[in-house]
Amino acid sequence: MSETYDVVVIGGGPGGYVAAIRAAQLGMKTACVEMRGKLGGTCLNVGCIPSKALLQSSELYHEAQHSFASHGIVVSPKLDLKAMLDRKAKIVEGLTGGIEFLFKKNKIDYVKGRGHIDAPGQVSVTEGDDKGKVLTTKNIVIATGSESTPLPGLDVDEKTIVTSTGALEFDKVPKHLAVIGGGVIGLELGSVWKRLGAQVTVIEFLDRIVPNMDGEVSKTFQRTLKKQGLEFKLKTKVTGAKKSKSGVELTMEPAAGGDVETLSVDKVLVCIGRRPYTEGLGLDDIGVERDKRGVIQVDAHYKTNIDGIYAIGDCIPGPMLAHKAEDEGVVIAEILAGQKPHINYDAIPGVVYTWPEVADVGMSEEKLKEQGRAYKVGKFPFMANSRAKANDATDGFVKILADAETDRVLGAHIIGPAAGEMIHEIVTIIEFGGSSEDVARTCHAHPTFSEAVKEAALDVEKRAIHV
Ligand code: FAD
Ligand code: NAI
C-alpha cells in the first residue's frame, strides 16, 4: 500500500531524526526510514554518547585511583568493567527510546528497514520489519551518515582488530592496545582504555596528532597525554597485521619510507577517519552526484543535482559532527517549508572529550597564516586561574585570535578543564561578529574557568590581570 508524504528522511541519526522532527513541527507529513532497529544513528548508538559515558566512567576510576588521596579521600577502587559497560548501554537505550517517543509525539512515521530510492519521489524499504513498503513523497532527505574508513591490509573483526564500535565493547581491558590514527576517536577511546589500565600506543601517519587543530594546541595536547602514559609513534604508517592466538603483530614503517618494525599487541583500533555511507541507496541508478570519496554533492540549500532529493549530515561535505548534522536537519526542514534559514559554518565548535578537554571554533593560526591575514593573539594559562588551582586542573590554556585591525574574533582554541563548555562563549561572539574587546569587557563570575577566556581576551591587547 502506498502512502504520500511531504518528506521522507532516510537515516535516523542526528541529521535525520532532527530533520524529521522539525519537518513535523512545521506541519509536514513526515516519515523516517532507519535500518539499525534503533533511532539516534551513529551518535547515540555507537558514537558520541557511549564514548562519553565511558570517558566519564574511566575518568572517575582514574581519579579514584590517582586524585582522591590528595583531597584526603582514601579509597581502594576496583574495576567492574561489566557494570561500566551496562551503565553505558542503559544510557544509550534511554536516549534512543527518547527519540522514538519524540517521533510518536510529533506523529512521524518511523519505518524500520533499509531505504532505497527507486526514483525521485519514491522510496522503498528493502529489508527489516517494513520490507516491501513503498513510500511516495514530495521530497527525500538523505541522512545516511558515515562509516569507519578501512585500512588496507587490516581486516576488522570487531573483536581483535576493531573500529570505534568494537572499542566501545571490549569485555576485558586490553593489555596493549594499538590505536591507528591520532585523531579524535583514537585519543578519546585511547584515553578510556589507558585510564582503565591498558598500555596504549597511538600510531599516527602525520607529524602531529589532531592535525586539523591549531598547532600549538596539538603540541600541548600530545605532551599532556604523554604525561598520562599514552605512547605516540608519529610519522609512521602501518603496512600490515598478522593475527595470532595472542593478538596481532603490526608491521610499520616511517611514513617517508625506511626500516620496517613490528609491534605486538592484543587489540588494534583502526580510526583513520570516516567516509560517507551511501550503500544500497540506489544513488548511481538515479544519478545523484558524489565525489571520489563518495561525498554527496549538494548546493547551498542541501539539494543534490536531482530535483526533490536533498542530503545532510556526515554524507555531505563539512565536519562530521553531530551538532553540524542536527543544525542541517533543522535548516533543511525549514527550507522545505519555504523559510530562508542559514548556518554559519565558521562558527561550528569542535570538542575532544579527553582530560583535559580540547575545544576550538573558527580559524587556527596556521589557517590565518595560510590566508595571509593579520591577526592578534591573546593567551591565558589555566595555571594562573584560581578555580583551576582549586580543582587541580591547571593543564592547558585559552587562546583567542582576533583580526589585527578590526579586533573581530576569528578563532578560539582551548585546552583545559570544561573547554567543551567554555568554547560556546566564543561561538556566540563569532556568530554575532563580536570583538575580543566585547569578551574582555563582559563580566565573568569568579572563581570560574571561564575567567581564563576573559583574561585571554584581555591579553589580545596585553592587559591580562593575573599573569
Ligand atoms: P548517522 O548518525 O551516521 O546516522 C545515519 C543513520 O542512517 C544510521 O543510523 C544508519 O543506520 C542509517 N542508514 C544508513 N543508510 C540507510 C538506509 N539506506 N536506510 C535506512 N537507514 C539508513 N560527533 C560529535 O559532534 N560529538 C561527539 O562527541 C562525537 N563522538 C563520536 C564518537 C564516535 C566513536 C564516532 C564514531 C562518531 C562520533 N561523532 C561525534 C560523530 C557523530 O556520530 C556523527 O557526526 C553523527 O552521528 C552524524 O549524524 P548523521 O545523522 O549524519 O549520520
Ligand atoms: P580523524 O579525522 O579525527 O583522525 C584520523 C587520524 O588518522 C588523523 O590524524 C590522520 O592523520 C590519521 N591517519 C590517516 N590515515 C592514517 C594511516 N594510514 N595511518 C595512521 N594514521 C592515519 O578521524 P577519526 O578519529 O577516525 O574520527 C572520525 C570522525 O568522527 C572525526 O573526524 C569526527 O568528525 C568524528 N568524531 C568526533 C568526535 C567529537 O566530536 N568529540 C569524537 C569522535 C569522532
Side-chain angles (χ1 to χ4, degrees), residues 127-165:
E127 293 167 16
D129 295 354
D130 288 316
K131 184 175 173 182
K133 203 164 190 174
V134 176
L135 313 170
T136 54
T137 176
K138 290 183 194 142
N139 301 291
I140 296 169
V141 175
I142 302 168
T144 48
S146 63
E147 62 177 354
S148 178
T149 305
L151 182 59
L154 274 84
D155 292 328
V156 167
D157 55 18
E158 295 297 9
K159 291 267 179 270
T160 310
I161 301 182
V162 301
T163 66
S164 49
T165 302

Side-chain angles (χ1 to χ4, degrees), residues 151 154 178-182 186 201-204 238 250 268-272:
L151 182 59
L154 274 84
V179 171
I180 307 179
T201 307
V202 178
I203 305 158
E204 165 61 47
V238 172
L250 289 177
V268 178
L269 163 59
V270 182
C271 46
I272 57 164

Side-chain angles (χ1 to χ4, degrees), residues 190-442:
S191 291
V192 165
W193 294 106
K194 174 70 207 154
R195 292 164 185 169
L196 297 181
Q199 180 184 356
V200 174
T201 307
V202 178
I203 305 158
E204 165 61 47
F205 185 77
L206 297 176
D207 59 357
R208 62 185 177 103
I209 59 167
V210 280
N212 291 330
M213 285 196 164
D214 188 272
E216 198 179 359
V217 170
S218 118
K219 252 191 231 138
T220 307
F221 192 20
Q222 189 188 341
R223 214 172 32 236
T224 315
L225 292 175
K226 220 168 146 188
K227 263 198 318 203
Q228 295 170 15
L230 276 91
E231 295 158 19
F232 292 94
K233 278 187 140 330
L234 302 183
K235 294 194 266 185
T236 303
K237 67 177 171 207
V238 172
T239 49
K242 222 184 330 170
K243 271 193 230 172
S244 67
K245 267 199 190 136
S246 60
V248 187
E249 187 176 84
L250 289 177
T251 357
M252 305 178 287
E253 60 184 53
D259 292 344
V260 172
E261 61 174 313
T262 56
L263 181 71
S264 291
V265 295
D266 49 340
K267 303 279 179 191
V268 178
L269 163 59
V270 182
C271 46
I272 57 164
R274 292 178 63 83
R275 62 181 186 189
Y277 180 81
T278 51
E279 281 292 306
L281 270 177
L283 297 188
D284 287 337
D285 295 338
I286 49 171
V288 170
E289 256 177 44
R290 282 173 289 167
D291 71 5
K292 292 205 290 286
R293 295 183 45 245
V295 181
I296 298 176
Q297 301 300 294
V298 290
D299 67 13
H301 299 111
Y302 307 99
K303 192 175 95 55
T304 67
N305 58 315
I306 307 290
D307 284 347
I309 303 183
Y310 300 81
I312 56 167
D314 277 12
C315 63
I316 68 165
M320 289 183 168
L321 294 172
H323 41 285
K324 177 255 191 192
E326 289 187 55
D327 282 7
E328 289 175 348
V330 168
V331 162
I332 185 60
E334 293 178 353
I335 288 173
L336 294 177
Q339 300 181 5
K340 293 190 167 50
H342 156 84
I343 293 175
N344 177 2
Y345 284 94
D346 291 333
I348 295 185
V351 180
V352 193
Y353 297 84
T354 43
W355 179 262
E357 288 183 354
V358 182
D360 65 5
V361 61
M363 309 278 260
S364 63
E365 280 208 69
E366 287 75 11
K367 281 224 177 81
L368 289 168
K369 281 184 185 139
E370 223 174 87
Q371 294 183 2
R373 286 181 79 163
Y375 64 93
K376 302 177 284 186
V377 185
K379 251 180 83 175
F380 190 81
F382 282 103
M383 187 59 91
N385 172 275
S386 52
R387 183 65 178 276
K389 281 272 194 203
N391 285 28
D392 267 342
T394 51
D395 280 334
F397 56 84
V398 178
K399 171 161 144 182
I400 293 179
L401 305 170
D403 188 281
E405 223 169 281
T406 63
D407 192 37
R408 186 175 176 150
V409 175
L410 302 173
H413 307 271
I414 308 178
I415 171 163
E421 302 296 333
M422 277 185 277
I423 197 71
H424 293 97
E425 174 173 5
I426 305 292
V427 175
T428 308
I429 277 286
I430 291 182
E431 191 66 46
F432 281 78
S435 63
S436 78
E437 186 69 15
D438 289 327
V439 181
R441 295 274 168 200
T442 302

Side-chain angles (χ1 to χ4, degrees), residues 9 16-26 30 99 102-103 106 108 333:
V9 181
Y17 85 71
V18 170
I21 291 175
R22 186 71 189 118
Q25 283 176 347
L26 290 163
T30 307
I99 310 288
L102 291 174
F103 270 23
N106 286 285
I108 296 162

